[in-house]
Amino acid sequence: QVQLVESGGGLVQAGGSLRLSCAASGRTFSRYAMGWFRQAPGKEREFVAAISWSGGITYYTNSMKGQFTISRDNAKNTVYLQMDSLKPEDTAVYYCNADEDIRRIKIRGGAYWGQGTQVTVSS
C-alpha cells in the first residue's frame, strides 16, 4: 500500500503560480512512477503529468506542456507539480497518483490515489 497526501492548493489570481506537493508513505517511494490528474466541476478527471521512478522520464498532456512542471525528490518521498501562468480554466481538484508502471498512469491512472487538493484560479 502507498498512502498519498497532497498539499499546496488554494486560491490564486489568474497569471499566478502554485506548487502542489504530494507526500508518499508506505512502500518504497522510489519504486513508483507518480502522476497528477485534475477534475474540474462537471467534467471528467483528466491526466496532467507523470514522472518515472528515477525522474528521467516525464509526460504531459499537450495543452499543459510549458505551463506545468512535474518533479520528484525521492529523498523526501515527495512529488511536485509547479503550475505557472494559471488561468481560471485550471480550477479543479488536483489528485496525486502512483503506480509501478508509468504507462498505467498515462492511460487511466495508477493504483494509488490521494484525496485531492483544491486549486481555484480567479479572473
Side-chain angles (χ1 to χ4, degrees):
Q1 278 286 68
V2 176
Q3 292 79 42
L4 304 172
V5 179
E6 302 96 334
S7 61
L11 175 63
V12 63
Q13 287 189 331
S17 297
L18 280 176
R19 188 176 79 158
L20 305 183
S21 299
C22 172
S25 60
R27 298 273 180 93
T28 305
F29 176 72
S30 60
R31 290 179 50 191
Y32 289 84
M34 303 294 295
W36 289 95
F37 287 73
R38 70 183 186 184
Q39 187 167 20
K43 295 187 177 181
E44 292 187 354
R45 186 175 57 198
E46 64 175 336
F47 171 75
V48 174
I51 188 167
S52 63
W53 65 270
S54 67
I57 299 172
T58 57
Y59 296 107
Y60 297 90
T61 291
N62 284 340
S63 61
M64 300 175 201
K65 283 182 182 177
Q67 182 190 4
F68 293 173
T69 304
I70 190 170
S71 61
R72 66 189 295 160
D73 185 339
N74 286 346
K76 295 183 178 180
N77 286 4
T78 301
V79 63
Y80 305 98
L81 185 69
Q82 177 68 39
M83 305 186 296
D84 299 317
S85 303
L86 284 163
K87 305 179 284 288
E89 51 265 43
D90 294 317
T91 295
V93 178
Y94 284 73
Y95 295 92
C96 182
N97 185 235
D99 199 282
E100 292 185 355
D101 190 339
I102 194 171
R103 293 168 297 181
R104 280 199 288 263
I105 293 177
K106 284 183 62 184
I107 293 170
R108 64 178 184 274
Y112 304 102
W113 294 91
Q115 83 289 350
T117 186
Q118 176 71 48
V119 171
T120 303
V121 184
S122 63
S123 57

